Amino acid sequence: EPEVTQTPSHQVTQMGQEVILRCVPISNHLYFYWYRQILGQKVEFLVSFYNNEISEKSEIFDDQFSVERPDGSNFTLKIRSTKLEDSAMYFCASSDINSNQPQHFGDGTRLSIL
Amino acid sequence: RKEVEQDPGPFNVPEGATVAFNCTYSNSASQSFFWYRQDCRKEPKLLMSVYSSGNEDGRFTAQLNRASQYISLLIRDSKLSDSATYLCVAHGSSNTGKLIFGQGTTLQVKP
């Protein structure tokens, strides 16, 4: 069964540094998403991306965050200057056909900010 | 009011028991609903979509009541492997695919 893959599985970074989280969505999917889950809390939407542009972003997704699909297969989330409160599990997801379809999640990147 | 609200549990049940989880959502414009399962520190995995007519997948039955803005999941003949957190999920009202997650209900099935 095709799956969403994410790298790295765990990223440890000093506060103020830039991080890039990488995702390879399922190949025929058209809609891409990032979510995050702070330990012990619910999964929160960050951003949706379709047709090479952001279609919706949450309040969390401020100007420190950006997304890119540079080569037609990878989908990246960049955090420019990390804060302690960015420590969380970051999940990438994708869906096909239309945005109402179920989303398939990657196994996540655990981001730890020191 | 939370956008998607669930009883966090935990629900502790013996193997073979039937257990039901409930969920309410606040946005009447939400169109699609799902139950996901999340094991400890893992990604959410789709369990099933939820339709107004009700739908069943093996031991799992999901129901949606749009008038009451209420979603349910019934698990029959619980197995040890059903132990997990069950996430009630609604699509946002925009057509961007944004998913809104409940906090999750924890199920522990004991031998």
Side-chain angles (χ1 to χ4, degrees), chain A residues 28-31 50 95-101:
Chain A
N28 62 338
H29 283 188
L30 302 175
Y31 297 82
Y50 170 71
S95 63
D96 65 357
I97 303 174
N98 63 57
S99 56
N100 280 329
Q101 294 298 304

Side-chain angles (χ1 to χ4, degrees), chain A residues 55-110:
Chain A
S55 43
E56 185 173 357
K57 57 185 181 179
S58 71
E59 290 175 359
I60 304 166
F61 196 91
D62 62 22
D63 57 8
Q64 293 300 310
F65 289 82
S66 62
V67 288
E68 199 176 36
R69 189 161 155 79
D71 56 11
S73 61
N74 291 285
F75 179 50
T76 61
L77 174 70
K78 184 194 290 187
I79 310 175
R80 252 182 292 281
S81 178
T82 50
K83 307 185 201 52
L84 293 175
E85 54 265 37
D86 293 328
S87 295
M89 195 74 164
Y90 287 80
F91 295 110
C92 173
S94 68
S95 63
D96 65 357
I97 303 174
N98 63 57
S99 56
N100 280 329
Q101 294 298 304
Q103 293 172 23
H104 299 268
F105 284 75
D107 56 5
T109 293
R110 180 169 303 283

Side-chain angles (χ1 to χ4, degrees), chain A residues 33 35 37 39 42-43 45 48 55-56 89 91 99-107 110, chain B residues 31-32 34 36 38 41-44 46 49 87 91 94-99 101-103:
Chain A
Y33 313 89
Y35 294 83
Q37 187 174 31
L39 189 63
K42 66 179 183 178
V43 177
F45 170 79
S48 58
S55 43
E56 185 173 357
M89 195 74 164
F91 295 110
S99 56
N100 280 329
Q101 294 298 304
Q103 293 172 23
H104 299 268
F105 284 75
D107 56 5
R110 180 169 303 283
Chain B
Q31 294 294 313
S32 307
F34 310 95
Y36 278 76
Q38 187 174 32
R41 297 190 171 223
K42 302 282 191 181
E43 77 274 23
L46 178 68
S49 301
L87 308 176
H91 258 125
S94 59
N95 287 326
T96 61
K98 170 185 173 181
L99 292 180
F101 284 78
Q103 191 176 354

